Amino acid sequence: MEPNELIQIAKNARAKSYSPYSHFAVGAALLCRDGTVYEGANVENASYPLCMCAERNAIYHALMEGKTSEDFEALAVVGDTDAPISPCGACRQVISELFPHDKPIYLANLKGDVMTTDSEELLPFAFDGESL
Ligand code: THU
């Protein structure tokens, strides 16, 4: 699947965001090696710390459908930002643990800007299970 197609799916997922507090809708799309794409959008709550980001929802969505990290091929994230959206620190930590370090992550905005990166670039010197 071409990056732009995955980004378009992330844009569509963004429409499912529940973000009445921030009014900042984010969409994500996680491509697996069997061609399945799992969507995620941010879901907020009046108890603000319970808000869940689009990226994590997409990854957890795939896990709940029986996929594992070895299945993950590419991740796209889209927000209405000036530059390509920058994932939050919590998502970087989760991506670092669950998304393969050698697979592409496409960060995009609604204007069509795209930055291609990977988990190690997003979170160098990550805390991981080896430290425990
Ligand atoms: N958010 C995401 O879903 N992903 C990001 O990469 C950045 C932030 C959400 C969390 C919250 O619902 C809203 O955007 C504002 O922070």
Side-chain angles (χ1 to χ4, degrees), residues 18-19 22 24-27 41-44 51-55 77 85-88 91:
Y18 175 72
S19 44
S22 72
F24 185 75
V26 183
N42 53 326
V43 177
E44 300 186 343
C51 296
M52 180 54 66
C53 292
E55 300 91 314
V77 191
I85 189 166
S86 176
C88 80
C91 285

Side-chain angles (χ1 to χ4, degrees), residues 105-120:
I105 299 172
Y106 308 115
L107 305 176
N109 61 15
L110 299 184
K111 296 185 292 180
D113 300 317
V114 179
M115 175 189 291
T116 302
T117 185
D118 58 53
S119 64
E120 286 184 332

Side-chain angles (χ1 to χ4, degrees), residues 28-50:
L30 175 59
L31 173 67
C32 291
R33 61 182 171 188
D34 68 358
T36 310
V37 177
Y38 294 94
E39 297 181 354
N42 53 326
V43 177
E44 300 186 343
N45 192 277
S47 177
Y48 293 171
L50 302 184

